[in-house]
């Protein structure tokens, strides 16, 4: 029985093989060509066009305050009032501390009284001078006249001295009101009501920091500086006088303000081989805070060439930029470029490409050089995502396919 079952199974398998051969032989020859055509993998492409693109570089940096002031008293006394909220925003001229002013008010009044006293002696001295001047040679000596003249000058000097004392007393009185020197954010107070402070003491009462605008200190290598200068001298980069800075925050988002070059240190660090570039950014909403680590995209000028999106490129073992293109016969062609420059989210290439060349931007993981492909027009949107060149409207996506 077992042998008979094996014979039946073999006969059935052989019959199935013959049927398969018969079916394949009966199909038209044209389907074989269709199967071969289906081997061309669809890939997303963009057509390149030569244009003028910005030359950019990304530099690391750190935020620094525009200006900082440690607040110290200029007169001694008891703190009578702390007029600000810790960590709050203050304006120039706002009252910060009030020092007990009663002793200084008394000093001002005393100085005013001294002026009145000094002024009272002036008319008498003037009268004596006039009398001795008339009597010189007839009833008064020259010495008496000179003495009267000196007395008048001393009286007038006493008036000026009293006025100077009043000014000094008024300045001290004004200094009992400690006010903000500029707009900014104020730190926590180091003293409270009832504490005694001394004029020009070492310990600051508080600190004010101006955050709008704000400095960003960027670090650049001396090697890149030399390359930039060579490119400018050769005329490859134009418009260097209008360098533009864009800021990338710690969360990866671009800051909505542009910066301008403020200054740079003209000394290269002996330990790191870098130099500092300081950039000034508007900061009206206090988004950038001192101490933040940021990155700045610097537009150094513009150059004519072809922009290859970074998402469609890679580097070979020699460090050369490489990209995949669709050749004239519809196959994958790998090209390497010796020279390339960063341009925002792209690499700027000036040689090895012509207008209309199709750069492969999607489907790169499933293709190899020389493989036949079917190009599908694509585009890269503002967020850096590859999407079809012509997307259907939102309403069209809901419509059922026509039968």
């Amino acid at each position: 029985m077992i042998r008979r079952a094996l014979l039946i199974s073999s006969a059935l398998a052989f019959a199935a093989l013959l049927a398969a051969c018969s079916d394949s032989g009966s199909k038209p020859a044209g389907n074989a060509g269709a199967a071969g055509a289906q081997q061309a993998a669809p890939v997303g492409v963009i057509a390149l066009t030569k244009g003028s693109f910005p030359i950019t570089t990304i530099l690391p940096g750190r935020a620094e305050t525009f200006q900082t002031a440690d607040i110290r008293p200029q007169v001694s006394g008891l703190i009578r009032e702390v007029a600000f909220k810790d960590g709050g925003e203050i304006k120039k001229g706002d009252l910060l501390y009030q020092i007990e002013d009663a002793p200084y008010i008394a000093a001002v009044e005393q100085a005013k009284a001294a002026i009145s006293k000094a002024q009272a002696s002036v008319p008498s001295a003037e009268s004596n001078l006039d009398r001795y001047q008339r009597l010189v040679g007839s009833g008064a000596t020259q010495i008496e006249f000179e003495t009267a003249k000196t007395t008048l000058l001393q009286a007038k000097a006493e008036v000026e001295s009293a006025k100077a004392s009043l000014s000094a007393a008024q300045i001290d009185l004004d200094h009992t009101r400690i006010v903000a020197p500029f707009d900014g954010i104020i730190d926590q107070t180091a003293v409270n009501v009832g504490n005694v402070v001394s004029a020009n003491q070492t310990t600051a009462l508080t600190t004010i920091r101006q955050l709008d605008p704000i400095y960003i200190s960027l670090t650049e290598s001396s090697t890149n500086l030399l390359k930039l200068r060579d490119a400018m001298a050769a005329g490859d980069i134009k418009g260097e006088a209008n360098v533009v800075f864009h800021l990338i925050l710690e969360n990866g988002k671009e800051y909505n303000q542009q910066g301008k070059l403020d200054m740079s240190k003209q000394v290269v660090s002996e330990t790191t081989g870098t130099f500092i570039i300081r950039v000034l950014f508007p900061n009206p909403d206090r988004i950038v805070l001192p101490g933040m680590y940021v990155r700045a995209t610097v537009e150094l000028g513009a150059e004519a060439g072809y922009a290859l999106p970074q998402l469609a490129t890679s580097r070979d073992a020699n460090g050369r930029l490489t990209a995949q293109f669709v050749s004239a016969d519809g196959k994958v062609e790998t090209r390497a470029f010796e020279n390339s420059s960063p341009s925002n989210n792209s690499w700027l290439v000036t040689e090895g490409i012509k207008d209309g060349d199709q750069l492969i931007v999607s489907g790169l993981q499933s293709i190899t050089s020389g493989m036949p492909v079917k190009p599908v027009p694509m585009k890269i949107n503002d967020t850096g995502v590859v999407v079809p060149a012509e997307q259907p409207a939102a309403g069209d996506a809901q419509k059922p396919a026509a039968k």
Side-chain angles (χ1 to χ4, degrees):
M1 291 293 294
I2 295 175
R3 182 178 180 182
R4 183 178 179 183
L6 289 173
L7 290 174
I8 293 173
S9 177
S10 299
L12 291 174
F14 182 73
L17 179 60
L18 290 177
C21 293
S22 175
D23 290 341
S24 60
S26 62
K27 291 182 180 179
N31 286 347
Q38 292 175 357
Q39 294 179 2
V43 291
V45 300
I46 58 174
L48 300 179
T49 303
K50 189 174 185 178
S52 180
F53 298 94
I55 300 296
T56 63
T57 185
I58 296 179
L59 303 178
R62 192 172 186 176
E64 299 176 356
T65 55
F66 180 71
Q67 57 180 338
T68 303
D70 291 331
I71 305 301
R72 292 182 174 85
Q74 294 178 276
V75 294
S76 301
L78 183 77
I79 295 293
R80 193 176 70 189
E81 179 184 2
V82 178
F84 65 90
K85 181 180 179 181
D86 292 350
E89 183 175 348
I90 52 95
K91 298 292 184 181
K92 180 179 179 179
D94 285 354
L95 177 65
L96 304 179
Y97 296 93
Q98 176 64 61
I99 297 175
E100 181 57 54
D101 57 359
Y104 298 96
I105 293 175
V108 168
E109 296 301 325
Q110 186 177 5
K112 290 179 178 179
I115 292 176
S116 298
K117 180 179 179 181
Q119 289 174 336
S121 63
V122 171
S124 175
E126 289 176 339
S127 297
N128 286 337
L129 179 62
D130 290 341
R131 185 173 64 254
Y132 282 116
Q133 188 174 14
R134 290 192 304 268
L135 296 174
V136 170
S138 59
T141 64
Q142 184 66 32
I143 293 177
E144 289 175 328
F145 171 72
E146 294 295 336
T147 300
K149 185 178 181 179
T150 302
T151 301
L152 176 59
L153 293 176
Q154 288 177 342
K156 290 182 177 181
E158 288 293 335
V159 173
E160 296 303 319
S161 176
K163 288 181 178 179
S165 296
L166 175 60
S167 296
Q170 186 63 54
I171 290 173
D172 286 343
L173 176 60
D174 293 340
H175 283 163
T176 61
R177 286 175 51 87
I178 302 177
V179 298
F182 49 78
D183 298 353
I185 303 298
I186 194 165
D187 281 356
Q188 182 179 2
T189 180
V191 296
N192 296 310
V193 174
N195 294 147
V196 176
V197 296
S198 301
N200 302 315
Q201 64 184 35
T202 304
T203 305
L205 304 182
T206 188
T207 301
I208 299 175
R209 295 178 175 85
Q210 184 174 353
L211 305 182
D212 182 26
I214 195 165
Y215 283 127
I216 303 295
S217 290
L218 305 174
T219 304
E220 175 63 299
S221 69
S222 57
T223 302
N224 287 343
L225 175 62
L226 294 175
K227 290 180 179 179
L228 173 60
R229 288 178 175 174
D230 290 342
M232 289 179 177
D236 295 333
I237 296 178
K238 303 183 184 300
E240 65 273 12
N242 300 316
V243 178
V244 179
F245 294 83
H246 298 278
L247 203 61
I248 303 173
L249 303 177
E250 290 177 320
N251 58 3
K253 294 183 178 179
E254 183 173 340
Y255 187 45
N256 62 356
Q257 300 285 347
Q258 290 187 358
K260 61 180 181 179
L261 184 65
D262 180 72
M263 59 80 68
S264 61
K265 292 184 178 179
Q266 300 300 317
V267 178
V268 176
S269 171
E270 296 180 359
T271 55
T272 62
T274 59
F275 69 99
I276 300 298
I277 300 174
R278 194 167 71 176
V279 184
L280 192 63
F281 277 87
N283 192 29
D285 298 324
R286 314 293 192 274
I287 293 176
V288 183
L289 298 177
M292 276 187 176
Y293 287 99
V294 295
R295 292 177 297 149
T297 302
V298 188
E299 293 185 12
L300 303 173
E303 187 175 6
Y306 298 89
L308 308 184
Q310 292 182 4
L311 58 83
T313 61
S314 59
R315 297 281 177 178
D316 61 13
N318 297 322
R320 298 179 303 175
L321 184 72
T322 63
Q324 309 291 334
F325 290 81
V326 178
S327 65
D329 57 355
K331 295 182 180 180
V332 177
E333 177 186 358
T334 302
R335 300 183 192 177
F337 305 95
E338 297 291 341
N339 299 310
S340 60
S341 303
S343 178
N344 294 326
N345 294 324
S346 302
W347 293 103
L348 188 59
V349 176
T350 58
E351 298 177 345
I353 303 176
K354 64 180 184 298
D355 285 352
D357 281 359
Q358 293 182 316
L359 173 68
I360 301 176
V361 295
S362 65
L364 294 165
Q365 297 80 3
S366 59
I367 60 174
T368 58
S369 185
M371 177 179 175
V373 290
K374 179 182 179 181
V376 179
M378 307 292 282
K379 66 178 181 180
I380 300 177
N381 62 17
D382 295 337
T383 61
V385 178
V386 178
V387 296
E390 295 183 1
Q391 288 185 312
D396 296 339
Q398 305 297 329
K399 295 178 181 179
K403 295 181 180 181

